[in-house]
Amino acid sequence: MASHNEFYLNQADAYEFMISKQPELAGIVNEVRPYKNLDVLDLGAGSGKLSSFIAKEAKSLICTDQSSSMLQLLNDKLKQQGLPQLWSTIEADHRNLPIPDSTIDLVVSGWSICYLANTNNEIGKQI
């Protein structure tokens, strides 16, 4: 059975297909905190479920993830939107971000916060 890290590295397209079936979240995020013209950090951005709509209105967007494959998929997706490149992707762990203090107005994270507790579970393994 593949670990989460192996899955994200080797099956980024399968992950993207899976999350594409989830509901749109732009309205929910904007209701919690409007992100227009803010400097935003998307922790564990993956293939860009949150970044895809935030990039359209944010002043700047930094997308971090531990998987280079996921970040490549995200980068390609944002380029296909035809937006000015006001975003960057950084391969990084949540616990050690190479981002200067006081440079971010808003931090968002979808599904990656849970991995701070444990990243060693195999996908599909019963706990």
Side-chain angles (χ1 to χ4, degrees):
M1 193 110 341
S3 71
H4 284 96
N5 291 339
E6 292 167 335
F7 178 77
Y8 295 136
L9 182 62
N10 299 317
Q11 297 186 37
D13 290 329
Y15 175 84
E16 171 62 15
F17 176 76
M18 181 178 64
I19 68 157
S20 72
K21 304 304 179 191
Q22 296 176 341
E24 178 61 43
L25 298 171
I28 294 168
V29 173
N30 200 45
E31 187 176 314
V32 173
R33 171 80 195 267
Y35 46 86
K36 187 173 183 174
N37 297 322
L38 296 183
D39 294 309
V40 180
L41 168 63
D42 186 355
L43 289 174
S47 63
K49 180 70 176 175
L50 301 178
S51 297
S52 292
F53 62 82
I54 291 172
K56 295 174 185 175
E57 296 186 12
K59 178 179 172 184
S60 69
L61 174 62
I62 299 173
C63 308
T64 64
D65 202 283
Q66 286 187 318
S67 170
S68 59
S69 297
M70 297 297 276
L71 289 175
Q72 183 60 52
L73 192 101
L74 164 61
N75 204 35
D76 293 345
K77 184 190 291 187
L78 292 178
K79 284 181 180 178
Q80 288 174 0
Q81 289 184 16
L83 303 171
Q85 187 154 352
L86 302 173
W87 75 88
S88 61
T89 56
I90 301 172
E91 193 173 334
D93 184 288
H94 293 355
R95 295 162 287 204
N96 189 19
L97 296 171
I99 299 169
D101 291 344
S102 302
T103 59
I104 301 297
D105 300 315
L106 175 65
V107 177
V108 297
S109 183
W111 300 264
S112 65
I113 295 295
C114 63
Y115 295 124
L116 292 173
N118 186 353
T119 61
N120 296 322
N121 292 330
E122 292 181 349
I123 295 175
K125 181 179 177 182
Q126 297 296 316
I127 299 174

